[in-house]
Amino acid sequence: MLRTFLVISVIVIALLMIRNHGDSPFIRDDYMMDTAVRITLPVRNRDDAAEAVSRMHHIASLVDDFSPASDISRVNASVRPVRVSDTTRLMLKESLIACKKTDGAFDITCGGLSKLWGFKDGNYRVPEDKEIKRLLTGVDYRCINVSDMSVVAGRRENTYLDLGGIAKGFVVDRAVGILVGRGVPYGIVDAGGNLRCWGRKPRGKPWIVGVQHPRRPDGIIGRLILDKPAAIATSGDYQRFFIRQEKRYCHIIDPSSGRPVEDIMSATVIGDSAMDADAVATAVCVMGRDKGLELLKR
């Protein structure tokens, strides 16, 4: 169940400061999935971070569409059924559930459109209508079937899977699961603004998340004060975009039109699962404010 709420026009940033006279923080920085990753734990648990990071890298490699050997690349290269790892199967199944819950506003079959607009390789362009129309014939999450035997079937010509809208949240959840399982009492795992905090800070202080202005990178618009464990994810038109003839084109593609969304600068979703929050934040940007709020009520 997606227990979430929405904050419009914000981006989650910073928050990784845990200060206590007897328990200083340990911070482990890394880079994966084209984003900075930071794990913050009590210094006495610093050795536990290595296992979490290793697991995160492994999962990221499974859905790396720049690697021909990854599970996602192999699926995208064939219209025949493809066997994938159990981890990829789980991510795909959870992704398809999110697609259904958001009425397709979040759709993992938009990979071809992202590439067409240049958001995959940075070669940005405004494609012609006929190019968009051709790739839209492959956009439909309902055509993808994932069996309990980890076999992915149903891919059609022009259907390209892209788990970028959910993968960061998925790896954050898995990392937190490892750390909690190893007895780490509290901490934060942050993958490019998709983050999750758990446990209670020393002296019972709340977690504080800085909220950045979506048009001013150095401007803080407010703070979220969290008195319990939570997952937070932000999607917005400022994270990856290009401008042509004074018009902004962002990386969030509307599956119904094949074009970048325009109405929402930023949406931040707070919930229990980083993966759910990640997908829903994307869906809200696609649906717009009013329909997005209706989605969250469900």
Side-chain angles (χ1 to χ4, degrees), residues 116-126 240-242 244:
L116 180 67
W117 285 86
F119 292 111
K120 288 295 182 181
D121 56 13
N123 294 318
Y124 303 124
R125 59 188 290 263
V126 178
R240 278 184 291 157
F241 68 93
F242 67 94
R244 291 289 186 275

Side-chain angles (χ1 to χ4, degrees), residues 8-184:
I8 295 294
S9 300
V10 298
I11 173 176
V12 174
I13 59 167
L15 86 82
L16 305 174
M17 297 186 67
I18 305 170
R19 290 288 182 262
N20 186 38
H21 295 299
D23 197 3
S24 300
F26 167 74
I27 296 175
R28 167 75 180 259
D29 288 319
D30 214 293
Y31 191 83
M32 65 188 78
M33 299 177 293
D34 199 31
T35 194
V37 173
R38 172 167 286 191
I39 297 178
T40 304
L41 307 171
V43 68
R44 65 180 182 273
N45 296 109
R46 60 185 301 162
D47 293 340
D48 297 309
E51 182 180 348
V53 168
S54 176
R55 182 60 178 165
M56 293 173 79
H57 272 290
H58 172 67
I59 296 172
S61 71
L62 298 174
V63 296
D64 181 2
D65 49 14
F66 288 100
S67 170
S70 73
D71 282 349
I72 289 301
S73 291
R74 291 189 299 106
V75 171
N76 284 336
S78 176
V79 293
R80 294 174 179 268
V82 175
R83 186 176 296 278
V84 299
S85 68
D86 289 343
T87 299
T88 301
R89 172 185 60 82
L90 178 60
M91 197 186 314
L92 283 169
K93 281 202 164 186
E94 294 291 344
S95 297
L96 293 172
I97 291 172
C99 292
K100 184 176 181 179
K101 286 184 175 180
T102 61
D103 298 326
F106 172 79
D107 193 318
I108 61 172
T109 61
C110 285
L113 289 164
S114 294
K115 184 177 181 179
L116 180 67
W117 285 86
F119 292 111
K120 288 295 182 181
D121 56 13
N123 294 318
Y124 303 124
R125 59 188 290 263
V126 178
E128 296 181 7
D129 290 346
K130 63 181 180 180
E131 296 177 281
I132 297 173
K133 186 176 180 179
R134 177 176 62 83
L135 286 180
L136 277 173
T137 62
V139 176
D140 186 356
Y141 72 90
R142 293 167 295 185
C143 73
I144 301 298
N145 176 57
V146 185
S147 76
D148 291 335
M149 300 300 293
S150 296
V151 174
V152 181
R155 179 187 172 271
R156 305 187 301 233
E157 185 181 3
N158 297 328
T159 298
Y160 298 95
L161 301 186
D162 180 2
L163 298 184
I166 204 168
K168 294 183 183 69
F170 184 91
V171 299
V172 166
D173 285 337
R174 292 304 174 275
V176 171
I178 289 172
L179 294 168
V180 170
R182 292 176 68 92
V184 179

